Amino acid sequence: IVARILPPDGEGDFEWTQKNPGARIHHPRSELTDATTLLTSDSTKKPMTENLSGFGQDTQEALTTDEVRWTILDVYLRKGEEEEHVHMNRASQELVTNAIQRMELSIAKKLEKTIPPEQIKELKREERKKIKGVETNQTVFVSSNDEPSQREWNIDGLVNGDFWKQVATTFNPGQVCITVQVHNATIPLSVDSCPPTVTAVRAFDHFEGRVFVGIPLVVDLDLLFATHAIVDWYIGGELVCSDNVMCTPTEQDVGKEVIVSIQPLRPGHDGTDYLEAYRFKHTVEERPNNAIIPLRREWIRKRDRSDNKSLRVMTFNILAHEKAFMDVADDSSGLYPYCDDDIIARSRRAPLILHEIMAYQADVICLQEVDDTSFENLFRPALHLCGYQGFYRKKMGTREGIAMFWDTRHTFEEASENDINSFPIQGLFPKDESEIKEDWKSMYDVYDFLQEDDDLRTILTKKLGHVVQIASLTRKDSSFGPKKVVVSNTHLFFHSKGHHIRLLQLFAICHKLAKERQGYPLLFCGDFNTTPHTGGVRLLLDKHVPPNHHTAWKHLDTFCWETEGHLKEETPNKEERRKPPSVHLADSFPTLKSGYEEFPVFTHYISAFCDTLDYILTSQASEMEEYGLVATNSAPMPSKEMIEKNTAMPNKEWPSDHVSLVCDFDFQTAKK
């Protein structure tokens, strides 16, 4: 019998044996037919005690709370090569004698299936009653390491939660034996209560992602009743990496299959019988060419970390999976008809993007269009193992969002929950004038303007689900420069006729940053979906956008949300057009400058569009700003010809439809 007491939030029918069923296999070193098998009766292990500290945090909560509601019982019966399995979910407050009686009934039904029908027909009526009914005669025996003989344990009055907890905390596996009576036969069942258990195994694309040379594979685990798991990697049947949740295939591994084994354990229980193994769908392949890597060879050399004055920053829109396969109007061929599905599939693109991200060794990484599954099962675990901390925020109404990471090995301290925040941009527009910072006089004008425009106010404060991340990061070494750096990351409204919408989104973000920044230098990154000379970027760089700006308000009176952005058929005459406000940042807001001295020719290249939409901006030192960040270098950008040989982006050499931006900065102080 394998018993598991679920934590308070574990309810209902929990099946332990169905995680990633397509990838799960036998372990190469054993003859296990299932990851959860009949325990051994070995009683030579060190005895447990009532001290729960060795069980792991989840187990402590499961075994000490008064809110435990479910106990999972798995019974394994073996005779020769044959095995039967009974799975039960029992309330933790149920009498254990009742649970064992139910177990006997379930075992009887299982065993009855093994008796040929013709034999059952030959049985006398009285004998058939014995098969259909169960005469309960339950006995629990206990043995100890120094006493080979068994003693009987009176379990009358004990409930499931208490009984299985006592077994788990007091006895070793195999020391407790329950005998049940089925079909006039006495069946002894040894007990393992709360064994180390793997409750979830996560790998990118459920073990179906492509496996490339030089790109790490990583598994993320959830454990119960365990303090650790030994994760071993086998490539081509040989052990290549031991006790590590990450493994990177090499050139010698091309064409070979990859298997990962997971053995959960805790002090006093080695978890041998609960080992699991998974096979990756694809064998190891040569890494496809990512054309940006040879272009930036100087940027992937090992960095010199001795200089605490510098900071490397990266931003990258990595193309969300749902967008890559999105249909366009009546064209079912999608946004990238020139590109085969296997080229734009997430299973191929995401590992190549991870490889590029890791190659730059950036101190700060800002990503846009990140699928939640890619973040949780690839980027977060892989980058965490490389010393990065990060967080993710999904856009409202979609399955993708933005992610931010920062290096905690060399550059920044671990951030607390209070240091990292994300906000829906629709909630950054003031609901009343009391929410406006006193020196932001232009925000009063924008507030009044939106109060008079119901359609625009609804779009900005209810329709759009964009978000912004803001993190206040403490530097490990602030002997030169500021104690902290504030980093912000966002992805704005996409529509080509929505210049005024993006302008107001950026204005609201800056107003929020003014409240959150506390005078520290600012890094502002993202896909702003606005080109360098349109209103949104000019606001950030010039701090002012007048009402007559040539693009900022061009579609203010004609943009229509209800027709999915198509312009209104009737254009208001000059007298009917609304006069937009003059938008300017407060004098106290820092001057921002691009990390690229000259804006790239493009950062986004698709068949119908080619221009710059992505930015790394930093605040500059001034009389009002003690510290700033000045760009010292920027990674080279591709030419149009490099892209056009494969039509547009993405393609077999470019895994996203955007180009990453990478810049190096030095901290600067204001001239006195």
Side-chain angles (χ1 to χ4, degrees):
I1 303 171
V2 179
R4 297 178 177 91
I5 302 172
L6 291 189
D9 58 351
E11 292 190 54
D13 186 21
F14 192 98
E15 179 56 65
W16 298 86
T17 61
Q18 297 301 316
K19 300 179 296 296
N20 306 89
R24 195 184 215 166
I25 59 168
H26 305 313
H27 185 263
R29 296 179 299 176
S30 72
E31 297 178 355
L32 298 179
T33 56
D34 201 289
T36 307
T37 63
L38 183 66
L39 66 147
T40 66
S41 58
D42 178 14
S43 60
T44 61
K45 302 182 180 71
K46 296 179 181 179
M48 290 295 182
T49 67
E50 288 289 349
N51 181 7
L52 302 180
S53 61
F55 277 71
Q57 183 63 36
D58 290 341
T59 304
Q60 294 178 48
E61 295 175 359
L63 298 182
T64 57
T65 180
D66 292 329
E67 300 178 13
V68 172
R69 287 166 290 191
W70 293 96
T71 299
I72 306 302
L73 301 174
D74 285 291
V75 184
Y76 297 89
L77 304 164
R78 282 180 177 166
K79 182 179 180 181
E81 297 297 323
E82 298 180 4
E83 178 177 286
E84 293 289 343
H85 174 212
V86 174
H87 178 76
M88 302 170 59
N89 296 283
R90 311 305 299 175
S92 289
Q93 297 305 312
E94 177 191 36
L95 288 173
V96 70
T97 51
N98 291 350
I100 295 175
Q101 186 175 14
R102 179 62 189 175
M103 186 187 301
E104 289 175 324
L105 289 167
S106 298
I107 292 172
K109 291 180 180 179
K110 281 281 185 181
L111 296 184
E112 183 176 337
K113 296 177 182 178
T114 66
I115 301 176
E118 59 272 14
Q119 290 187 22
I120 295 179
K121 292 179 181 179
E122 294 174 1
L123 295 175
K124 296 180 181 179
R125 186 178 185 85
E126 291 76 11
E127 292 175 332
R128 292 192 64 188
K129 286 182 179 180
K130 293 179 182 179
I131 295 177
K132 292 296 184 181
V134 177
E135 298 176 5
T136 303
N137 182 15
Q138 310 154 350
T139 310
V140 178
F141 293 102
V142 178
S143 65
S144 62
N145 290 337
D146 52 1
E147 295 181 8
S149 60
Q150 293 182 326
R151 58 182 173 85
E152 190 172 337
W153 180 4
N154 183 3
I155 60 173
D156 290 343
L158 280 176
V159 297
N160 275 322
D162 292 339
F163 173 74
W164 302 111
K165 174 185 173 181
Q166 288 187 46
V167 175
T169 57
T170 309
F171 302 101
N172 283 319
Q175 283 187 269
V176 175
C177 178
I178 296 176
T179 63
V180 295
Q181 298 292 323
V182 178
H183 304 336
N184 292 330
T186 300
I187 302 177
L189 299 169
S190 56
V191 177
D192 195 358
S193 183
C194 301
T197 302
V198 179
T199 61
V201 180
R202 290 177 292 274
F204 175 60
D205 261 11
H206 310 290
F207 293 92
E208 295 185 357
R210 303 281 285 276
V211 180
F212 297 125
V213 169
I215 302 179
L217 301 171
V218 60
V219 290
D220 196 30
L221 310 175
D222 287 342
L223 304 175
L224 190 62
F225 315 122
T227 56
H228 179 60
I230 297 175
V231 180
D232 291 341
W233 297 82
Y234 296 82
I235 300 183
E238 295 184 5
L239 178 65
V240 297
C241 184
S242 183
D243 200 10
N244 197 327
V245 295
M246 185 165 69
C247 176
T248 303
T250 65
E251 290 282 353
Q252 290 73 32
D253 301 324
V254 172
K256 299 176 182 178
E257 71 172 11
V258 180
I259 291 172
V260 58
S261 73
I262 304 155
Q263 181 177 332
L265 70 160
R266 64 168 181 262
H269 200 313
D270 65 12
T272 302
D273 294 315
Y274 303 95
L275 181 147
E276 303 194 5
Y278 296 83
R279 177 188 289 116
F280 286 78
K281 178 180 178 180
H282 296 279
T283 58
V284 180
E285 304 173 61
E286 292 281 2
R287 185 175 66 248
N289 180 45
N290 182 349
I292 199 71
I293 297 297
L295 183 64
R296 295 176 173 177
R297 291 200 182 279
E298 293 297 320
W299 288 78
I300 63 176
R301 298 184 189 278
K302 186 174 178 60
R303 286 182 64 196
D304 179 6
R305 299 281 190 161
S306 61
D307 183 2
N308 65 346
K309 297 180 182 180
S310 64
L311 204 64
R312 178 167 290 182
V313 182
M314 175 189 189
T315 189
F316 196 4
N317 180 322
I318 64 174
L319 179 59
H321 178 72
E322 65 176 8
K323 180 181 174 184
F325 288 93
M326 181 173 64
D327 292 341
V328 182
D330 297 327
D331 184 1
S332 60
S333 60
L335 285 171
Y336 317 106
Y338 58 88
C339 207
D340 293 339
D341 285 355
D342 65 328
I343 295 296
I344 60 174
R346 177 175 57 195
S347 61
R348 180 187 186 274
R349 293 190 305 105
L352 296 176
I353 288 168
L354 173 64
H355 177 257
E356 180 181 346
I357 291 170
M358 295 175 65
Y360 297 132
Q361 310 151 73
D363 300 295
V364 175
I365 302 166
C366 293
L367 304 177
Q368 304 85 41
E369 289 198 31
V370 183
D371 304 304
D372 49 6
T373 183
S374 296
F375 175 82
E376 286 296 335
N377 299 335
L378 183 64
F379 297 117
R380 182 190 60 78
L383 290 173
H384 172 74
L385 292 169
C386 295
Y388 288 89
Q389 185 183 7
F391 72 118
Y392 173 77
R393 178 63 187 266
K394 187 163 62 172
K395 288 196 295 188
M396 294 181 289
T398 70
R399 288 175 290 181
E400 53 92 0
I402 54 178
M404 184 192 298
F405 297 92
W406 52 94
D407 173 29
T408 58
R409 282 186 183 169
H410 310 92
T411 313
F412 297 107
E413 302 288 353
E414 289 274 351
S416 69
E417 290 186 2
N418 294 330
D419 296 325
I420 54 178
N421 293 283
S422 55
F423 305 94
I425 297 176
Q426 62 176 230
L428 301 185
F429 292 92
K431 297 179 179 61
D432 56 62
E433 293 185 351
S434 65
E435 297 180 7
I436 301 175
K437 279 182 66 69
E438 186 175 348
D439 59 337
W440 281 66
K441 294 180 171 45
S442 184
M443 181 58 88
Y444 290 97
D445 297 334
V446 170
Y447 173 79
D448 291 338
F449 181 71
L450 292 180
Q451 291 302 112
E452 298 173 0
D453 191 328
D454 291 341
D455 289 342
L456 183 56
R457 186 176 71 253
T458 299
I459 291 172
L460 288 168
T461 64
K462 294 182 180 179
K463 298 288 188 181
L464 298 178
H466 304 89
V467 293
V468 60
Q469 293 176 306
I470 302 175
S472 180
L473 305 180
T474 301
R475 298 172 64 213
K476 283 184 177 291
D477 183 357
S478 57
S479 57
F480 178 86
K483 179 182 178 181
K484 295 184 177 183
V485 175
V486 175
V487 183
S488 185
N489 178 34
T490 194
H491 185 195
L492 301 181
F493 185 51
F494 74 95
H495 202 281
S496 60
K497 305 299 190 295
H499 300 301
H500 57 298
I501 294 173
R502 287 184 289 276
L503 167 62
L504 294 175
Q505 284 183 319
L506 285 167
F507 184 60
I509 290 173
C510 290
H511 183 252
K512 182 64 176 178
L513 286 169
K515 295 180 179 180
E516 300 287 328
R517 194 172 62 90
Q518 298 181 331
Y520 292 113
L522 172 65
L523 271 167
F524 191 13
C525 303
D527 176 357
F528 300 160
N529 266 318
T530 186
T531 56
H533 302 293
T534 51
V537 174
R538 297 331 306 172
L539 174 70
L540 298 176
L541 300 181
D542 302 336
K543 301 181 68 170
H544 176 232
V545 174
N548 62 349
H549 187 276
H550 65 286
T551 61
W553 308 102
K554 183 177 181 180
H555 301 292
L556 173 64
D557 293 296
T558 55
F559 181 85
C560 182
W561 179 271
E562 283 70 21
T563 58
E564 299 182 348
H566 292 111
L567 301 185
K568 297 176 182 177
E569 293 182 3
E570 296 183 4
T571 303
N573 58 43
K574 189 173 182 179
E575 290 73 21
E576 294 175 331
R577 293 178 185 174
R578 293 166 290 172
K579 182 179 180 181
S582 177
V583 181
H584 50 86
L585 305 179
D587 293 340
S588 59
F589 195 80
T591 299
L592 299 180
K593 189 174 181 179
S594 170
Y596 280 76
E597 186 173 355
E598 294 184 3
F599 287 113
V601 175
F602 66 92
T603 64
H604 179 49
Y605 193 160
I606 58 176
S607 298
F609 181 88
C610 177
D611 212 327
T612 291
L613 300 178
D614 306 271
Y615 302 88
I616 300 176
L617 306 179
T618 59
S619 61
Q620 305 299 293
S622 66
E623 292 183 0
M624 300 178 65
E625 298 285 327
E626 182 179 3
Y627 296 105
L629 285 160
V630 58
T632 59
N633 204 358
S634 56
M637 299 294 288
S639 65
K640 287 186 177 181
E641 290 74 22
M642 293 180 66
I643 308 299
E644 289 168 351
K645 68 178 185 177
N646 291 298
T647 306
M649 300 172 68
N651 58 55
K652 64 181 181 180
E653 294 186 335
W654 299 87
S656 175
D657 56 357
H658 287 248
V659 183
S660 63
L661 303 183
V662 191
C663 298
D664 285 339
F665 298 92
D666 279 352
F667 289 101
Q668 63 173 180
T669 57
K671 295 180 181 179
K672 296 183 179 180

